[in-house]
């Protein structure tokens, strides 16, 4: 299934949304008479070295094709923009790879932001996330913010999505889902910490009025355990969860959530009543979207050409095609939204047809 809108090609956007940088956040004013369109990209995995030169070129070309085809108002990249693994790329210079990706995004002239994934800062990488964040904040079209330095993670920030008349539609919450619980990959993935959830709740309540909790959408990298729980209910026919679109392409129905640490994101969001959906990456071959526990849970289509390899027991992403592309989110003035898949294979087929 392509998605709620079932669009194969996405038309050009009439008028432009307006982005207004403020002290606390960036306000986005929707263009009148049409939905606000977000393109989610994820897991670009630019290596930045001599070993990854060809695959980096493929990834950057794919990014350009998807961004141009989507004609989105705003692009959100949900982590792992780069992959500073010397054995795959020939370098551990994650700032160089970050610049390669960001320069491509800036050249396209579309407003964008990002959150960090577990690979943007590796133990062997030259630079910490703070240094990458400093660079992102210098860019013209990038609306990334480092956020409160007292919070766990780097880059917890948000956007006020406003209707054309200036009234608030919803919040777009960007969260650093952190890296690993220890110093290395095999220590297990981390979760969104409680202080980050406190910040989310505080932000929502500060932007709510008249006793009505403002709706929000969340964007981060590592999926919560409840996503896998919901998928298991879907394929067993349990009405508590509803399949919407996409597929699980990872080996043995794999979901890369934290196995050694309990996260409280879904439980806290369920109680808050604001989060209507979240968008993640991390598992490159999953494009699933379901309804569960009052939220739309969605994996973004990935770009990666380099990270998954057969000698690690994985399905090599370089040899896969159907997972690659972008995920489109059209937000209406009433706060409802539709999600569609934009596969790279469809874009390339349309190019050949022309």
């Amino acid at each position: 299934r392509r998605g709620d809108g079932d669009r194969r090609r996405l038309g050009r956007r009439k008028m432009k949304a307006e982005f207004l940088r403020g002290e606390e956040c960036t306000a986005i004013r929707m263009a009148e008479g049409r939905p606000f369109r977000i393109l989610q990209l994820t897991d670009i995995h630019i290596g930045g070295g001599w070993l990854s030169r060809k695959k980096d070129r493929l990834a950057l070309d794919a990014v350009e094709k998807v961004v141009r085809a989507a004609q989105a108002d705003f692009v959100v990249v949900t982590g792992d923009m780069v992959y500073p693994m010397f054995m795959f790329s020939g370098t551990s210079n994650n700032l160089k790879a970050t610049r390669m990706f960001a320069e491509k995004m800036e050249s396209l002239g579309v407003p964008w932001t990002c959150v960090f994934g577990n690979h943007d800062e590796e133990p062997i990488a030259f630079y910490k996330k703070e240094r990458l964040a400093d660079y992102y904040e210098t860019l013209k079209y990038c609306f990334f913010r480092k956020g409160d330095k007292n919070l766990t993670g780097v880059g917890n920030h948000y956007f006020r999505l406003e209707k054309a008349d200036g009234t608030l539609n919803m919040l777009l919450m960007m969260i650093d889902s952190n890296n690993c619980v220890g110093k290395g990959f095999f220590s297990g993935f981390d979760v969104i910490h409680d202080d980050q959830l406190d910040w989310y709740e505080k932000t929502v309540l500060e932007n709510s009025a008249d006793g009505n909790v403002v709706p929000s959408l969340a964007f981060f990298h590592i999926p919560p355990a409840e996503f896998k729980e919901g998928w298991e209910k879907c394929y067993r026919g349990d009405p508590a969860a509803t399949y919407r679109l996409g597929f699980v392409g990872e080996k043995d129905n794999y979901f890369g959530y934290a196995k050694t640490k309990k996260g409280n994101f879904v439980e806290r969001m369920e109680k808050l009543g604001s989060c209507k959906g979240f968008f993640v990456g991390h598992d490159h071959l999953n494009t699933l979207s379901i309804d569960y526990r009052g939220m739309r849970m969605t994996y973004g289509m990935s770009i990666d050409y380099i990270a998954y390899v057969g000698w690690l027991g994985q399905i090599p992403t370089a040899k896969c095609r159907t997972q690659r592309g972008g995920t489109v989110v059209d937000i209406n003035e009433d706060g409802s939204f539709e999600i569609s898949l934009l596969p790279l294979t469809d874009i390339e087929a349309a190019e050949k047809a022309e």
Side-chain angles (χ1 to χ4, degrees), residues 46-53 56 83-94 96 124 126 306:
I46 300 301
W50 64 275
L51 284 176
S52 62
R53 191 172 296 134
D56 289 346
Y83 194 55
M85 301 292 284
F86 184 87
M87 65 287 291
F88 292 99
S89 63
T91 183
S92 295
N93 189 338
N94 51 338
K96 177 185 176 183
I124 62 172
F126 290 179
I306 190 174

Side-chain angles (χ1 to χ4, degrees), residues 86 124 150 272 303 353:
F86 184 87
I124 62 172
N150 296 312
L272 180 60
I303 296 294

Side-chain angles (χ1 to χ4, degrees), residues 13-279:
R13 315 300 284 150
K14 296 178 181 179
M15 302 174 63
K16 286 187 177 182
E18 186 178 4
F19 287 71
L20 305 169
R21 297 183 195 261
E23 290 185 12
E24 292 293 326
C25 69
T26 296
I28 308 172
R29 188 72 53 83
M30 297 173 66
E32 190 171 2
R34 65 169 178 84
F36 178 80
R37 179 170 293 166
I38 296 174
L39 170 66
Q40 179 199 6
L41 296 176
T42 197
D43 294 88
I44 314 302
H45 282 257
I46 300 301
W50 64 275
L51 284 176
S52 62
R53 191 172 296 134
K54 179 180 178 180
K55 291 181 179 178
D56 289 346
R57 186 166 58 250
L58 288 169
L60 293 173
D61 286 349
V63 166
E64 180 169 354
K65 288 178 181 179
V66 175
V67 171
R68 292 191 185 281
Q71 293 294 318
D73 296 293
F74 190 36
V75 180
V76 178
V77 191
T78 51
D80 283 3
M81 286 70 73
V82 303
Y83 194 55
M85 301 292 284
F86 184 87
M87 65 287 291
F88 292 99
S89 63
T91 183
S92 295
N93 189 338
N94 51 338
L95 181 57
K96 177 185 176 183
T98 295
R99 288 181 184 274
M100 289 174 62
F101 171 68
E103 286 169 5
K104 170 59 69 175
M105 291 298 297
E106 290 290 291
S107 74
L108 298 172
V110 180
W112 65 287
T113 193
C114 60
V115 295
F116 287 116
N118 58 295
H119 286 299
D120 291 291
E121 176 195 313
E122 290 282 356
I124 62 172
F126 290 179
Y127 299 95
K128 299 292 185 183
K129 288 188 289 188
E130 287 81 1
R131 179 65 183 89
L132 307 184
D134 287 339
Y135 170 68
Y136 282 132
E137 286 191 328
T138 68
L139 303 174
K140 178 179 179 180
Y141 293 104
C142 183
F143 287 81
F144 173 92
R145 293 187 184 218
K146 293 176 74 173
D148 187 345
K149 65 180 181 180
N150 296 312
L151 286 179
T152 302
V154 179
N156 299 294
H157 63 294
Y158 75 100
F159 297 80
R160 282 177 53 96
L161 179 61
E162 300 174 351
K163 302 174 187 178
D165 63 6
T167 58
L168 183 59
N169 186 327
M170 65 166 55
L171 301 180
L172 307 175
M173 306 294 293
M174 310 294 151
I175 313 171
D176 185 355
S177 55
N178 302 301
N179 197 323
C180 296
V181 294
K183 291 186 177 180
F185 177 83
F186 295 104
S187 64
F189 297 120
D190 205 347
V191 298
I192 297 171
H193 289 207
D194 285 342
D195 66 325
Q196 295 171 283
L197 299 177
D198 293 340
W199 163 78
Y200 193 123
E201 181 174 348
K202 180 175 179 287
T203 301
V204 165
L205 295 179
E206 287 178 347
N207 284 274
S208 298
D210 301 324
N212 298 313
V213 176
V214 64
S216 60
L217 296 177
F219 297 82
F220 50 95
H221 185 67
I222 299 175
E226 290 85 353
F227 200 168
K228 174 71 176 292
E229 178 182 286
W231 168 234
E232 290 176 341
K233 289 183 182 296
C234 278
Y235 70 68
R236 289 175 176 146
D238 189 328
T242 304
Y243 169 83
R244 297 299 294 269
L245 59 85
F247 51 81
V248 177
E250 295 282 340
K251 186 177 180 180
D252 296 328
N253 279 322
Y254 177 77
F255 282 58
Y257 59 88
K259 306 298 194 298
T260 62
K261 188 175 183 180
K262 181 183 182 299
N264 297 316
F265 176 82
V266 171
E267 182 180 342
R268 290 278 299 270
M269 292 302 105
E270 202 171 26
K271 290 179 180 178
L272 180 60
S274 168
C275 185
K276 304 305 178 185
F278 63 78
F279 299 82

